[in-house]
Amino acid sequence: MAAEVLTNIPLTSLPKISQGKVRDLFSLPDGDKPTLLFVTSDRISAYDVILKNGIPSKGVILTLLSAKWFEVLSSRVPGLKHHFLHLGPPSSPGLVTEDEKKMLRGRSMTVRRLKIFPIEAIVRGYVTGSAWAEYEKTQTIHGLAEPAGLRRCERLPEPIYTPSTKAELGDKDINISPNEARKIVGDKYASRIEELALACYKAGAAYAEERGIIIADTKFEFGLDEETDEIYLVDEVLTPDSSRFWSKADYQVGRDQDSFDKQVLRNWLTDNGLKGKPDVEMPPEVVEKTKARYTEVFELLTGNSLDEALNNLA
Ligand code: ATP
Ligand code: MG
Protein backbone atom coordinates (compact mmCIF):
# COMPACT_ATOMS: atom_id res chain seq x y z
CA MET A 1 0.00 0.00 0.00
CA ALA A 2 1.17 3.54 -0.71
CA ALA A 3 2.44 4.62 2.71
CA GLU A 4 3.27 8.13 1.60
CA VAL A 5 0.86 10.90 2.56
CA LEU A 6 0.12 13.08 -0.43
CA THR A 7 -1.12 16.55 0.41
CA ASN A 8 0.24 17.66 -2.95
CA ILE A 9 -0.12 15.62 -6.10
CA PRO A 10 3.29 15.37 -7.81
CA LEU A 11 2.05 15.16 -11.39
CA THR A 12 3.70 17.38 -14.00
CA SER A 13 3.12 15.40 -17.21
CA LEU A 14 -0.47 16.65 -17.51
CA PRO A 15 -1.74 20.24 -17.39
CA LYS A 16 -3.51 21.03 -14.11
CA ILE A 17 -6.99 22.51 -14.60
CA SER A 18 -7.87 23.29 -11.00
CA GLN A 19 -7.28 22.44 -7.39
CA GLY A 20 -10.06 22.10 -4.81
CA LYS A 21 -9.91 21.41 -1.11
CA VAL A 22 -9.24 17.74 -1.69
CA ARG A 23 -8.83 17.12 -5.42
CA ASP A 24 -6.60 18.17 -8.28
CA LEU A 25 -8.06 18.00 -11.79
CA PHE A 26 -5.83 17.44 -14.80
CA SER A 27 -6.60 17.80 -18.47
CA LEU A 28 -6.31 14.72 -20.70
CA PRO A 29 -5.70 14.68 -24.45
CA ASP A 30 -8.90 14.97 -26.47
CA GLY A 31 -10.61 11.73 -27.46
CA ASP A 32 -14.19 11.33 -28.70
CA LYS A 33 -15.43 13.24 -25.68
CA PRO A 34 -13.59 15.65 -23.36
CA THR A 35 -12.21 13.82 -20.32
CA LEU A 36 -10.14 14.70 -17.31
CA LEU A 37 -8.06 12.98 -14.67
CA PHE A 38 -9.72 13.35 -11.28
CA VAL A 39 -7.06 12.91 -8.60
CA THR A 40 -7.83 12.73 -4.89
CA SER A 41 -5.14 13.82 -2.45
CA ASP A 42 -4.84 12.89 1.23
CA ARG A 43 -5.81 16.41 2.27
CA ILE A 44 -8.54 16.70 4.88
CA SER A 45 -10.68 19.67 5.80
CA ALA A 46 -12.77 20.31 8.90
CA TYR A 47 -14.92 23.35 9.62
CA ASP A 48 -14.06 24.52 6.07
CA VAL A 49 -10.31 24.69 6.69
CA ILE A 50 -7.70 22.37 5.20
CA LEU A 51 -5.36 20.85 7.78
CA LYS A 52 -1.63 21.12 7.26
CA ASN A 53 -0.94 17.38 7.20
CA GLY A 54 -3.02 14.67 5.54
CA ILE A 55 -4.56 11.29 6.30
CA PRO A 56 -2.58 8.40 4.77
CA SER A 57 -4.53 6.57 2.03
CA LYS A 58 -7.54 8.89 2.29
CA GLY A 59 -7.35 9.71 -1.43
CA VAL A 60 -7.35 6.02 -2.28
CA ILE A 61 -10.25 5.31 0.07
CA LEU A 62 -12.40 8.09 -1.41
CA THR A 63 -11.57 7.15 -5.00
CA LEU A 64 -12.20 3.42 -4.65
CA LEU A 65 -15.35 4.03 -2.63
CA SER A 66 -16.73 6.41 -5.27
CA ALA A 67 -15.91 3.87 -7.98
CA LYS A 68 -17.83 1.23 -6.02
CA TRP A 69 -20.82 3.57 -5.72
CA PHE A 70 -20.86 4.33 -9.45
CA GLU A 71 -21.18 0.59 -10.01
CA VAL A 72 -23.84 0.09 -7.32
CA LEU A 73 -25.92 3.11 -8.32
CA SER A 74 -25.76 2.27 -12.04
CA SER A 75 -27.50 -1.00 -11.35
CA ARG A 76 -30.02 0.45 -8.89
CA VAL A 77 -31.03 3.81 -10.37
CA PRO A 78 -32.71 3.34 -13.76
CA GLY A 79 -31.42 5.69 -16.45
CA LEU A 80 -28.57 7.07 -14.34
CA LYS A 81 -25.59 8.40 -16.28
CA HIS A 82 -22.33 9.15 -14.45
CA HIS A 83 -18.96 10.65 -15.30
CA PHE A 84 -16.78 7.69 -14.24
CA LEU A 85 -14.97 5.96 -17.13
CA HIS A 86 -12.19 3.98 -15.43
CA LEU A 87 -9.72 4.05 -12.57
CA GLY A 88 -6.32 5.58 -13.30
CA PRO A 89 -5.20 7.56 -16.33
CA PRO A 90 -5.72 6.28 -19.89
CA SER A 91 -3.16 3.62 -20.80
CA SER A 92 -1.64 5.56 -23.74
CA PRO A 93 2.14 5.03 -23.61
CA GLY A 94 4.16 7.98 -22.35
CA LEU A 95 1.14 9.96 -21.10
CA VAL A 96 2.51 9.95 -17.54
CA THR A 97 5.82 8.68 -16.15
CA GLU A 98 6.14 5.32 -14.37
CA ASP A 99 6.55 7.10 -11.02
CA GLU A 100 3.44 9.18 -11.66
CA LYS A 101 1.51 6.07 -12.62
CA LYS A 102 2.47 4.45 -9.31
CA MET A 103 1.54 7.58 -7.38
CA LEU A 104 -1.86 7.76 -9.14
CA ARG A 105 -2.69 4.12 -8.46
CA GLY A 106 -6.03 3.84 -6.65
CA ARG A 107 -6.38 7.59 -6.15
CA SER A 108 -7.26 8.72 -9.66
CA MET A 109 -9.98 8.17 -12.20
CA THR A 110 -10.61 9.17 -15.77
CA VAL A 111 -13.96 10.90 -16.02
CA ARG A 112 -16.03 12.73 -18.59
CA ARG A 113 -15.43 16.45 -18.43
CA LEU A 114 -18.80 18.15 -18.07
CA LYS A 115 -20.34 21.52 -17.38
CA ILE A 116 -21.03 21.45 -13.66
CA PHE A 117 -24.37 22.79 -12.44
CA PRO A 118 -23.53 25.45 -9.83
CA ILE A 119 -25.57 23.93 -7.00
CA GLU A 120 -24.93 21.23 -4.43
CA ALA A 121 -27.69 18.65 -4.72
CA ILE A 122 -28.06 17.82 -1.04
CA VAL A 123 -30.45 15.10 0.07
CA ARG A 124 -31.39 14.59 3.71
CA GLY A 125 -32.91 11.49 5.22
CA TYR A 126 -32.51 12.74 8.81
CA VAL A 127 -32.77 16.16 10.43
CA THR A 128 -29.39 17.31 11.70
CA GLY A 129 -26.75 20.00 11.23
CA SER A 130 -27.90 23.23 9.60
CA ALA A 131 -31.28 21.62 8.82
CA TRP A 132 -31.90 20.97 12.52
CA ALA A 133 -30.91 24.54 13.41
CA GLU A 134 -33.44 25.87 10.89
CA TYR A 135 -36.16 23.41 11.90
CA GLU A 136 -35.84 24.34 15.57
CA LYS A 137 -36.48 27.97 14.70
CA THR A 138 -39.14 27.83 12.00
CA GLN A 139 -40.23 24.19 11.53
CA THR A 140 -38.88 24.41 7.98
CA ILE A 141 -35.85 22.87 6.27
CA HIS A 142 -34.40 24.95 3.40
CA GLY A 143 -37.71 26.81 3.50
CA LEU A 144 -39.80 23.64 3.13
CA ALA A 145 -42.50 23.06 5.75
CA GLU A 146 -41.88 19.95 7.84
CA PRO A 147 -44.09 18.02 10.28
CA ALA A 148 -44.22 19.25 13.88
CA GLY A 149 -42.50 17.39 16.68
CA LEU A 150 -39.40 16.08 14.92
CA ARG A 151 -36.58 15.35 17.34
CA ARG A 152 -32.87 16.01 16.87
CA CYS A 153 -31.42 13.57 14.30
CA GLU A 154 -34.83 11.97 13.66
CA ARG A 155 -35.45 10.16 10.42
CA LEU A 156 -37.62 12.24 8.09
CA PRO A 157 -40.88 10.70 6.83
CA GLU A 158 -39.34 10.82 3.33
CA PRO A 159 -35.88 11.93 2.16
CA ILE A 160 -35.94 15.55 1.00
CA TYR A 161 -34.02 17.47 -1.64
CA THR A 162 -32.40 20.50 0.02
CA PRO A 163 -29.94 22.16 -2.39
CA SER A 164 -27.35 24.80 -1.59
CA THR A 165 -25.33 27.21 -3.64
CA LYS A 166 -21.89 25.98 -4.70
CA ALA A 167 -19.50 28.55 -3.30
CA GLU A 168 -16.04 29.35 -4.63
CA LEU A 169 -13.08 28.05 -2.63
CA GLY A 170 -13.02 29.83 0.75
CA ASP A 171 -16.68 30.94 0.64
CA LYS A 172 -19.57 29.31 2.43
CA ASP A 173 -22.36 27.41 0.67
CA ILE A 174 -25.81 28.84 1.37
CA ASN A 175 -28.89 26.66 1.90
CA ILE A 176 -31.60 27.41 -0.64
CA SER A 177 -35.04 26.07 -1.46
CA PRO A 178 -35.65 23.79 -4.46
CA ASN A 179 -37.36 26.77 -6.09
CA GLU A 180 -34.27 28.93 -5.77
CA ALA A 181 -32.20 26.07 -7.19
CA ARG A 182 -34.62 25.94 -10.11
CA LYS A 183 -33.81 29.56 -10.88
CA ILE A 184 -30.07 28.81 -10.83
CA VAL A 185 -30.02 25.66 -13.00
CA GLY A 186 -33.05 26.49 -15.15
CA ASP A 187 -36.49 24.90 -15.43
CA LYS A 188 -35.32 22.53 -18.07
CA TYR A 189 -32.96 20.65 -15.74
CA ALA A 190 -34.18 21.33 -12.19
CA SER A 191 -36.72 18.51 -11.85
CA ARG A 192 -34.43 15.89 -13.32
CA ILE A 193 -31.59 16.86 -10.98
CA GLU A 194 -33.93 16.60 -8.01
CA GLU A 195 -35.31 13.27 -9.17
CA LEU A 196 -31.82 11.81 -9.73
CA ALA A 197 -30.48 13.13 -6.42
CA LEU A 198 -33.37 11.57 -4.49
CA ALA A 199 -33.10 8.27 -6.36
CA CYS A 200 -29.32 8.06 -5.77
CA TYR A 201 -29.75 8.86 -2.07
CA LYS A 202 -32.49 6.28 -1.60
CA ALA A 203 -30.56 3.55 -3.39
CA GLY A 204 -27.32 4.41 -1.57
CA ALA A 205 -28.93 4.72 1.86
CA ALA A 206 -30.64 1.33 1.50
CA TYR A 207 -27.37 -0.29 0.45
CA ALA A 208 -25.44 1.32 3.34
CA GLU A 209 -28.07 0.45 5.92
CA GLU A 210 -27.71 -3.24 5.09
CA ARG A 211 -24.04 -2.75 6.00
CA GLY A 212 -24.59 -1.01 9.32
CA ILE A 213 -24.24 2.60 8.16
CA ILE A 214 -26.87 5.31 8.18
CA ILE A 215 -26.37 7.97 5.51
CA ALA A 216 -27.97 10.90 7.33
CA ASP A 217 -27.46 13.26 4.41
CA THR A 218 -25.23 13.69 1.41
CA LYS A 219 -24.22 16.07 -1.33
CA PHE A 220 -24.25 15.15 -5.01
CA GLU A 221 -23.08 17.19 -7.95
CA PHE A 222 -24.41 16.96 -11.47
CA GLY A 223 -23.01 18.02 -14.82
CA LEU A 224 -24.35 18.52 -18.31
CA ASP A 225 -23.11 17.03 -21.57
CA GLU A 226 -23.94 20.05 -23.70
CA GLU A 227 -23.78 18.05 -26.92
CA THR A 228 -26.41 15.50 -25.95
CA ASP A 229 -28.18 17.65 -23.32
CA GLU A 230 -27.91 14.77 -20.84
CA ILE A 231 -27.40 15.11 -17.10
CA TYR A 232 -24.59 13.15 -15.43
CA LEU A 233 -23.80 12.35 -11.80
CA VAL A 234 -20.27 13.71 -11.25
CA ASP A 235 -17.67 14.32 -8.53
CA GLU A 236 -17.13 11.97 -5.59
CA VAL A 237 -20.17 9.97 -4.54
CA LEU A 238 -21.44 8.95 -1.09
CA THR A 239 -18.06 9.21 0.60
CA PRO A 240 -17.50 10.19 4.22
CA ASP A 241 -16.36 13.61 2.93
CA SER A 242 -19.57 14.31 1.02
CA SER A 243 -21.97 12.61 3.44
CA ARG A 244 -22.82 12.30 7.11
CA PHE A 245 -22.35 8.66 8.01
CA TRP A 246 -23.57 7.38 11.35
CA SER A 247 -23.16 3.98 12.90
CA LYS A 248 -26.53 2.25 12.83
CA ALA A 249 -25.70 0.36 16.03
CA ASP A 250 -24.98 3.60 17.96
CA TYR A 251 -27.83 5.67 16.53
CA GLN A 252 -30.23 7.21 19.05
CA VAL A 253 -32.85 9.78 18.17
CA GLY A 254 -33.03 12.97 20.25
CA ARG A 255 -29.29 13.64 20.55
CA ASP A 256 -26.34 14.50 18.31
CA GLN A 257 -24.65 11.50 16.69
CA ASP A 258 -20.92 11.01 16.30
CA SER A 259 -20.04 11.19 12.64
CA PHE A 260 -18.24 8.10 11.49
CA ASP A 261 -15.20 9.79 10.07
CA LYS A 262 -14.26 13.28 11.21
CA GLN A 263 -15.47 13.22 14.80
CA VAL A 264 -12.05 12.51 16.26
CA LEU A 265 -10.58 15.45 14.35
CA ARG A 266 -13.48 17.80 15.09
CA ASN A 267 -13.38 16.99 18.81
CA TRP A 268 -9.63 17.52 18.96
CA LEU A 269 -9.95 20.88 17.14
CA THR A 270 -12.72 22.17 19.42
CA ASP A 271 -11.11 20.84 22.62
CA ASN A 272 -7.91 22.70 21.73
CA GLY A 273 -9.52 25.94 20.56
CA LEU A 274 -8.33 25.33 16.99
CA LYS A 275 -11.71 25.23 15.24
CA GLY A 276 -11.54 27.18 11.96
CA LYS A 277 -7.86 28.16 12.42
CA PRO A 278 -5.50 27.89 9.41
CA ASP A 279 -2.26 25.86 9.23
CA VAL A 280 -3.14 23.43 11.99
CA GLU A 281 -1.12 20.23 12.18
CA MET A 282 -2.85 17.13 13.53
CA PRO A 283 -0.91 15.04 16.05
CA PRO A 284 -0.14 11.42 15.07
CA GLU A 285 -2.90 9.89 17.21
CA VAL A 286 -5.57 12.06 15.54
CA VAL A 287 -4.20 11.07 12.11
CA GLU A 288 -4.17 7.38 13.04
CA LYS A 289 -7.66 7.36 14.53
CA THR A 290 -9.10 9.30 11.59
CA LYS A 291 -7.44 6.97 9.14
CA ALA A 292 -8.93 4.01 11.02
CA ARG A 293 -12.44 5.49 10.73
CA TYR A 294 -12.15 6.13 6.98
CA THR A 295 -10.77 2.62 6.51
CA GLU A 296 -13.57 1.09 8.57
CA VAL A 297 -16.26 2.86 6.56
CA PHE A 298 -14.59 1.72 3.34
CA GLU A 299 -14.49 -1.89 4.49
CA LEU A 300 -18.08 -1.90 5.73
CA LEU A 301 -19.42 -0.39 2.51
CA THR A 302 -17.35 -2.30 -0.04
CA GLY A 303 -16.94 -5.60 1.81
CA ASN A 304 -13.21 -5.51 0.94
CA SER A 305 -10.19 -4.55 2.98
CA LEU A 306 -8.28 -1.63 1.53
CA ASP A 307 -5.33 -3.91 0.76
CA GLU A 308 -7.61 -6.36 -1.06
CA ALA A 309 -9.12 -3.52 -3.05
CA LEU A 310 -5.67 -2.24 -4.03
CA ASN A 311 -4.48 -5.74 -4.93
CA ASN A 312 -7.54 -6.17 -7.15
CA LEU A 313 -6.52 -3.18 -9.24
CA ALA A 314 -5.11 -4.00 -12.63
P1 ATP B 1 -16.40 22.05 -4.35
O1 ATP B 1 -17.24 22.68 -3.27
O2 ATP B 1 -16.36 22.81 -5.63
O3 ATP B 1 -16.66 20.58 -4.50
P2 ATP B 1 -14.05 21.17 -3.28
O4 ATP B 1 -12.99 21.95 -2.66
O5 ATP B 1 -14.85 20.16 -2.53
O6 ATP B 1 -14.98 22.25 -3.82
P3 ATP B 1 -12.78 19.13 -4.74
O7 ATP B 1 -13.66 18.03 -4.32
O8 ATP B 1 -11.43 19.24 -4.15
O9 ATP B 1 -13.56 20.50 -4.63
O10 ATP B 1 -12.58 19.14 -6.32
C1 ATP B 1 -13.50 18.57 -7.20
C2 ATP B 1 -13.97 19.61 -8.22
O11 ATP B 1 -14.19 18.96 -9.47
C3 ATP B 1 -15.29 20.25 -7.83
O12 ATP B 1 -15.24 21.63 -8.10
C4 ATP B 1 -16.30 19.61 -8.80
O13 ATP B 1 -17.38 20.45 -9.11
C5 ATP B 1 -15.44 19.34 -10.02
N1 ATP B 1 -15.90 18.22 -10.86
C6 ATP B 1 -16.36 17.02 -10.44
N2 ATP B 1 -16.66 16.21 -11.49
C7 ATP B 1 -16.37 16.91 -12.61
C8 ATP B 1 -16.49 16.62 -14.01
N3 ATP B 1 -16.93 15.44 -14.44
N4 ATP B 1 -16.15 17.60 -14.90
C9 ATP B 1 -15.69 18.79 -14.45
N5 ATP B 1 -15.54 19.13 -13.14
C10 ATP B 1 -15.88 18.20 -12.22
MG1 MG C 1 -15.71 18.40 -3.43
Side-chain angles (χ1 to χ4, degrees):
M1 195 194 300
E4 224 184 326
V5 189
L6 291 184
T7 49
N8 285 305
I9 300 298
L11 175 59
T12 53
S13 298
L14 298 171
K16 198 196 276 197
I17 303 170
S18 65
Q19 177 166 334
K21 286 192 282 292
V22 174
R23 292 178 182 78
D24 291 5
L25 272 46
F26 296 87
S27 155
L28 287 170
D30 281 346
D32 290 352
K33 295 267 183 191
T35 54
L36 54 82
L37 190 67
F38 197 75
V39 187
T40 307
S41 73
D42 295 329
R43 296 191 287 273
I44 186 164
S45 70
Y47 301 118
D48 286 326
V49 181
I50 302 169
L51 281 293
K52 209 166 168 180
N53 48 341
I55 303 296
S57 304
K58 176 173 176 273
V60 174
I61 292 172
L62 296 190
T63 302
L64 298 182
L65 183 56
S66 288
K68 173 73 181 182
W69 279 121
F70 285 121
E71 179 197 315
V72 170
L73 295 182
S74 290
S75 69
R76 296 184 177 207
V77 179
L80 178 72
K81 291 190 173 295
H82 59 70
H83 72 161
F84 178 79
L85 293 169
H86 55 80
L87 286 168
S91 56
S92 343
L95 186 64
V96 297
T97 66
E98 284 306 308
D99 280 351
E100 288 171 338
K101 210 162 146 187
K102 252 189 241 151
M103 177 276 297
L104 291 168
R105 191 161 177 266
R107 67 168 71 245
S108 63
M109 52 199 204
T110 298
V111 303
R112 276 186 206 282
R113 183 174 186 171
L114 298 152
K115 189 175 167 212
I116 306 302
F117 289 104
I119 58 161
E120 316 241 300
I122 299 168
V123 179
R124 300 172 191 272
Y126 292 74
V127 56
T128 184
S130 63
W132 173 252
E134 181 185 334
Y135 177 82
E136 266 196 308
K137 275 194 212 129
T138 54
Q139 213 183 293
T140 59
I141 300 180
H142 292 231
L144 305 170
E146 296 300 328
L150 289 177
R151 288 164 295 167
R152 194 184 284 268
C153 296
E154 186 156 358
R155 187 180 189 138
L156 293 161
E158 269 299 308
I160 52 174
Y161 172 64
T162 55
S164 78
T165 59
K166 191 167 143 52
E168 297 293 321
L169 204 62
D171 287 347
K172 263 202 157 317
D173 297 333
I174 300 164
N175 288 352
I176 54 177
S177 67
N179 259 335
E180 287 166 306
R182 179 170 291 272
K183 284 183 212 145
I184 297 173
V185 302
D187 273 339
K188 190 172 173 197
Y189 305 114
S191 304
R192 181 69 178 146
I193 291 174
E194 174 169 352
E195 177 189 22
L196 285 172
L198 284 167
C200 288
Y201 172 81
K202 285 179 192 165
Y207 180 93
E209 206 172 325
E210 287 162 24
R211 289 156 182 83
I213 292 176
I214 291 175
I215 304 180
D217 51 39
T218 194
K219 177 211 77 164
F220 298 109
E221 291 191 34
F222 291 92
L224 182 69
D225 179 338
E226 291 180 285
E227 238 170 67
T228 61
D229 210 29
E230 285 170 312
I231 296 174
Y232 282 71
L233 175 63
V234 302
D235 207 52
E236 64 179 326
V237 174
L238 296 171
T239 71
D241 275 12
S242 65
S243 324
R244 264 198 191 90
F245 287 162
W246 295 336
S247 154
K248 195 177 162 187
D250 298 339
Y251 171 75
Q252 264 180 8
V253 69
R255 60 152 170 84
D256 278 330
Q257 319 295 314
D258 277 355
S259 88
F260 219 106
D261 51 321
K262 285 190 190 166
Q263 206 61 42
V264 174
L265 172 56
R266 290 199 187 118
N267 291 352
W268 176 77
L269 288 168
T270 34
D271 292 350
N272 292 281
L274 296 169
K275 183 176 168 178
K277 297 241 165 85
D279 290 326
V280 172
E281 184 158 337
M282 297 172 277
E285 69 271 18
V286 171
V287 171
E288 271 319 303
K289 281 188 187 149
T290 303
K291 183 190 169 190
R293 300 311 303 269
Y294 273 82
T295 307
E296 191 183 350
V297 114
F298 176 85
E299 297 186 351
L300 285 170
L301 286 174
T302 66
N304 278 128
S305 77
L306 191 55
D307 282 337
E308 275 166 355
L310 274 169
N311 288 337
N312 288 344
L313 295 179

